[in-house]
Amino acid sequence: MTIALLSLECYLPLSQSLKDKRRVLRRIKDRLGAMNVAVAEVAHQELWQRAGLGVVTVATSDDGASKTLSAALEEIERLEPGLVTAHQVEYLR
């Protein structure tokens, strides 16, 4: 069993309030909910134009977890191009 964490740093240049930011993040969370991942805002909750997201999945192998997280990252980029400024994947075995 592998637990994988995708840490994302996001920049929301058009966000003018926390409400704007939450609207974008809720859309992302809703779309990723069907991909066998859990999503949470884990950093920068008080800032309007920055967000730190954690995306976690559990799989039977590193390869399966990697594919799931790659698909999640691609979906985020498709929904909000340029949103992700940095990402990192960690595996727990």
Side-chain angles (χ1 to χ4, degrees), residues 2 6 8 12 16 22 24-25 29-30 39-40 47 49 52-54 58 62 64 69-70 75 79:
T2 299
L6 172 63
L8 302 169
L12 299 92
Q16 297 299 313
R22 301 283 185 258
V24 172
L25 297 181
K29 289 178 185 180
D30 289 347
V39 183
L47 300 177
Q49 296 183 331
L53 296 179
V58 178
D62 287 1
L69 292 181
S70 292
E75 182 66 13
L79 288 172

Side-chain angles (χ1 to χ4, degrees), residues 19-82:
K19 188 174 182 178
D20 290 344
K21 174 184 169 181
R22 301 283 185 258
R23 186 178 304 120
V24 172
L25 297 181
R26 188 173 330 118
R27 181 174 179 229
I28 289 169
K29 289 178 185 180
D30 289 347
R31 288 292 182 106
L32 295 183
M35 299 183 73
N36 194 30
V37 297
V39 183
E41 183 180 5
V42 296
H44 312 301
Q45 288 95 342
E46 71 287 348
L47 300 177
W48 296 356
Q49 296 183 331
R50 287 188 68 195
L53 296 179
V55 181
V56 179
T57 190
V58 178
T60 56
S61 67
D62 287 1
D63 188 47
S66 177
K67 286 180 183 178
T68 300
L69 292 181
S70 292
L73 183 57
E74 288 172 11
E75 182 66 13
I76 292 170
E77 285 294 333
R78 188 185 70 74
L79 288 172
E80 295 288 334

